[in-house]
Amino acid sequence: MNASLTRSAVSAPPPTVRRWRPGRLLANLIAVLVALIWAFPVYWMINSSLLPNAVLVSTRPRLGPWGGSFDNYAAALASGSFFTSLKTSLIVTLTAVVACLLFAFCAALAISRYRFRGRTSFILAVLFIQMLPAEGLFIAQYKLMANLGLLNQAVGLAVLYTAAVVPFTVWMLRGFVAGVPADLEEAAMVDGCSRSGAFFRITFPLLAPGLVASGVYAFLQAWNEFTIALVIMQKEDARTLPLWLRGFIQASATRETDWGQVMAASTLVALPVIVFFLIVQGRLTSGLVAGAVKG
Amino acid sequence: MAQTSPRRTARRRPNWAPYALLTPAVAILLAALAYPVGWQLYTSTLKFGLAQQFGQAADFIGLSNYAELLSDPQIWAVVGRSLLFCLINATGTVTIGVALALLMQVVAKAVRIALQVGLLLAWAMPVVTAMTVWVWLFNWHFGLVNWFLTKLGLPFTNHNWLEQPSSFYAVATIIVVWMSVPFVAFSVYAGLTQVSTEVMEAAQLDGASGHRRFTQIVLPLIRPVLMIVLLLQIIWDLRVFTQIRLLQDAGAPASSTDLLGTYIYRLGVGSSNFGLAAAMSVFVLILTVLLSAPYVRSLMKEDKA
């Protein structure tokens, strides 16, 4: 986490003129308040996950995890298929990320390094595809997967996720590829590099931040996706983690909902992403901007 | 630069190369998105209900599904609610996001990092997890929000937030804005860091007020980022599904709180009226394209420039 903090701090030089005026003090106070408000639900989730349900449903909320334990986590892990879902989520997500990066990178290379017939139509199509309402398509996608026999299969879900993420990734990577001048590659070739050598030694390393940013974006989309998974992965042992969480909540609601266990289950689903996100965030935001700003 | 160099290289490389490079992306988009869209268009002209689901032939009924949709007052209520929800959420998110990005620029370094970590935590939360926590916070019986408001002396003991559509949408708005602001704030902040400090200081020395510096220097420079971010928010908020669906799961009356996404879901998966649901999807698609056409046009212009 520290590494990402310093990176984000370094990437943004503070304005040189800095005087302590009442306005500035107020701005700092507001910023701290906003930070607390935004982080609070996450804190409250972890806090509740450590407390026994009897405490949670009493009239006075306990604002810190005093007298807490990890019992809720043990209960959440013990009840059913967390690890099966974890495995499904990992397979689907990693497949989607790798496929998406590969496909989107090739496409970005094509539209930023070549002018060809159909280029504008492709860019337009990419932009419009992002607007397709996923909720309007899932019935058709369900039919498609049913016809292919890919319902409840990680591969089927990974294909749909890849298609869903490719357009935005193409758009993002295109900014990076355009940012690396082709002249650089040509100069290397004049100096005796082969075409592929020039590409892998010169262009590829310069694109690494863009690939990381796009990869993270794809990872998060696939890991957190709920709607398509809800429709495609209906069998219990085919569930991804978000579906496992929903199932856990519903199972808990048939009895008296055990909020402590529900919060522990929520934390289990969220924690990997939060940790991962804090590590890579500096690269992600710079990637977003490079993709958006550079023509 | 981006414009001249591709042309030069294009002449030397064989011209099938770009098509080969595009093939995988185009193939997967055709299979997983274009085919469903085509199916959608086709199905929207059929009478396709539960019976057809079980093998009965579907009759071609032309535009009857569309006629049925357009004459149904309930649909217009859903469309109106969705548009209102989308506009309030998109403008709210972008306004707060820009405000926080500007805030990050003026506060002390430690405070900025605190703010960034706070936003990051919210951004990283999976939707289903975030919804669970918010439902727990707004729980009518044991929720922290009601406890806090009661503490302040307000009559919120056992208040059910999800019962009335207006407070249902208020809760949904809080959640959606909370989730979406970090993306906007980080993108705009990163855009702001590319505005050179020399220019800002020069403007300050020349006596430009803070307001003028913002509208005349900062705003034009971060316009591309703002455009993209606003476009994405409009698209995402118009088709908001998961948040509404999970709030309905938590005990809200579905019929009076449906937005476009959940309405299509209920038509299709709930009532098995796939023909009507498909027509509705096509309608939403057209609506989205109309809403975002101006942005797409200006993005294309920037591509040519």
Side-chain angles (χ1 to χ4, degrees):
Chain A
M1 194 166 111
N2 263 334
S4 77
L5 294 186
T6 36
R7 208 183 304 120
S8 63
V10 169
S11 69
T16 40
V17 195
R18 184 175 290 279
R19 268 163 295 154
W20 282 95
R21 282 170 298 161
R24 208 172 278 286
L25 186 64
L26 186 68
N28 278 284
L29 282 178
I30 293 174
V32 171
L33 195 67
V34 171
L36 290 177
I37 292 173
W38 248 263
F40 185 78
V42 182
Y43 168 75
W44 197 242
M45 170 181 80
I46 296 171
N47 181 46
S48 305
S49 75
L50 295 168
L51 295 169
N53 197 46
V55 174
L56 295 178
V57 300
S58 65
T59 42
R60 267 179 61 94
R62 195 176 289 180
L63 299 178
W66 302 293
S69 70
F70 286 98
D71 292 353
N72 291 327
Y73 288 90
L77 287 176
S79 69
S81 48
F82 175 81
F83 289 102
T84 319
S85 296
L86 179 67
K87 201 177 124 203
T88 311
S89 270
L90 280 175
I91 294 173
V92 171
T93 306
L94 293 180
T95 315
V97 168
V98 171
C100 164
L101 281 185
L102 203 64
F103 296 178
F105 177 67
C106 291
L109 210 56
I111 58 172
S112 57
R113 281 285 141 85
Y114 299 92
R115 303 278 140 163
F116 54 93
R117 190 187 289 269
R119 178 179 174 276
T120 309
S121 341
F122 179 77
I123 296 179
L124 263 182
V126 161
L127 280 172
F128 275 111
I129 281 168
Q130 290 183 60
M131 290 164 207
L132 294 177
E135 285 64 46
L137 286 182
F138 55 49
I139 297 164
Q141 290 177 329
Y142 174 85
K143 292 257 165 226
L144 174 70
M145 289 299 148
N147 289 341
L148 294 175
L150 289 176
L151 286 180
N152 298 308
Q153 303 276 331
V155 185
L157 195 59
V159 167
L160 294 182
Y161 283 177
T162 307
V165 184
V166 156
F168 187 76
T169 320
V170 170
W171 195 247
M172 202 152 130
L173 279 175
R174 167 185 167 275
F176 281 95
V177 179
V180 180
D183 306 18
L184 218 54
E185 233 173 88
E186 280 160 24
M189 283 164 67
V190 170
D191 290 350
C193 248
S194 66
R195 174 169 296 284
S196 58
F199 176 75
F200 282 107
R201 294 212 186 107
I202 309 292
T203 313
F204 198 70
L206 287 169
L207 292 175
L211 289 170
V212 170
S214 320
V216 171
Y217 174 81
F219 177 90
L220 286 173
Q221 293 299 311
W223 185 268
N224 295 346
E225 205 281 336
F226 172 73
T227 314
I228 300 176
L230 180 69
V231 180
I232 304 287
M233 311 294 260
Q234 294 184 346
K235 272 230 297 267
E236 190 168 339
D237 57 359
R239 285 174 176 170
T240 57
L241 275 183
L243 295 181
W244 171 80
L245 177 58
R246 181 170 185 260
F248 188 86
I249 295 165
Q250 285 178 335
S252 187
T254 55
R255 309 179 295 270
E256 195 84 347
T257 299
D258 186 320
W259 285 103
Q261 288 183 17
V262 166
M263 288 300 126
S266 305
T267 311
L268 285 173
V269 175
L271 215 54
V273 204
I274 290 182
V275 172
F276 182 64
F277 217 65
L278 286 171
I279 294 171
V280 295
Q281 73 86 10
R283 283 167 189 278
L284 181 62
T285 44
S286 60
L288 283 173
V289 167
V293 175
K294 288 174 193 158
Chain B
M1 171 194 78
Q3 198 199 10
T4 52
S5 52
R7 211 165 273 154
R8 237 184 297 144
T9 45
R11 220 176 295 144
R12 254 175 273 153
R13 297 182 193 182
N15 58 3
W16 49 264
Y19 299 105
L21 287 169
L22 281 182
T23 305
V26 170
I28 198 158
L29 290 177
L30 281 178
L33 290 171
Y35 171 79
V37 171
W39 187 88
Q40 206 79 265
L41 276 170
Y42 172 64
T43 309
S44 72
T45 63
L46 300 177
K47 183 171 167 45
F48 201 106
L50 203 54
Q52 284 71 27
Q53 178 81 325
F54 288 104
Q56 212 180 92
D59 292 330
F60 177 80
I61 52 169
L63 297 177
S64 305
N65 282 323
Y66 293 94
E68 191 181 335
L69 276 185
L70 297 179
S71 59
D72 183 350
Q74 208 202 333
I75 305 253
W76 291 107
V78 172
V79 171
R81 282 204 297 258
S82 293
L83 281 176
L84 195 65
F85 186 84
C86 164
L87 291 179
I88 290 176
N89 277 271
T91 49
T93 304
V94 172
T95 312
I96 296 176
V98 171
L100 292 187
L102 292 171
L103 203 57
M104 281 184 211
Q105 277 210 314
V106 298
V107 296
K109 188 171 144 189
V111 176
R112 183 177 65 238
I113 292 172
L115 183 56
Q116 287 177 338
V117 169
L119 292 176
L120 216 54
L121 287 173
W123 194 7
M125 284 279 266
V127 190
V128 182
T129 315
M131 288 309 298
T132 315
V133 180
W134 279 104
V135 166
W136 167 228
L137 280 167
F138 277 100
N139 184 288
W140 64 290
H141 207 157
F142 312 114
L144 193 70
V145 175
N146 279 351
W147 173 82
F148 183 69
L149 291 174
T150 311
K151 258 288 193 260
L152 292 179
L154 299 165
F156 276 95
T157 315
N158 290 347
H159 176 77
N160 188 345
W161 289 86
L162 304 180
E163 205 171 26
Q164 294 296 325
S166 56
S167 72
F168 173 92
Y169 288 125
V171 172
T173 301
I174 290 175
I175 299 173
V176 169
V177 169
W178 175 81
M179 281 180 188
S180 337
V181 156
F183 169 74
V184 178
F186 279 115
S187 306
V188 174
Y189 176 66
L192 284 173
T193 57
Q194 302 195 329
V195 177
S196 92
T197 44
E198 284 86 11
V199 175
M200 291 300 282
E201 275 162 30
Q204 197 168 11
L205 287 177
D206 288 347
S209 66
H211 173 75
R212 273 204 62 185
R213 264 176 287 152
F214 179 70
T215 52
Q216 312 248 314
I217 301 174
V218 178
L219 215 50
L221 282 170
I222 60 168
R223 214 181 69 98
V225 187
L226 271 184
M227 295 283 282
I228 289 226
V229 157
L230 190 62
L231 171 65
L232 289 174
Q233 290 305 323
I234 289 176
I235 296 171
W236 288 337
D237 289 342
L238 188 67
R239 63 179 179 192
V240 54
F241 173 80
T242 313
Q243 291 90 334
I244 303 294
R245 174 88 200 137
L246 290 175
L247 274 183
Q248 290 178 342
D249 269 5
S255 59
S256 56
T257 55
D258 264 338
L259 295 184
L260 287 168
T262 50
Y263 192 76
I264 295 173
Y265 182 83
R266 281 207 304 134
L267 274 182
V269 179
S271 327
S272 288
N273 198 338
F274 292 108
L276 207 56
M280 189 77 188
S281 307
V282 174
F283 181 70
V284 173
L285 185 56
I286 294 171
L287 201 64
T288 321
V289 169
L290 285 181
L291 270 179
S292 42
Y295 294 99
V296 172
R297 197 178 307 143
S298 77
L299 281 175
M300 290 309 286
K301 234 180 257 163
E302 269 157 35
D303 178 64
K304 288 209 182 78

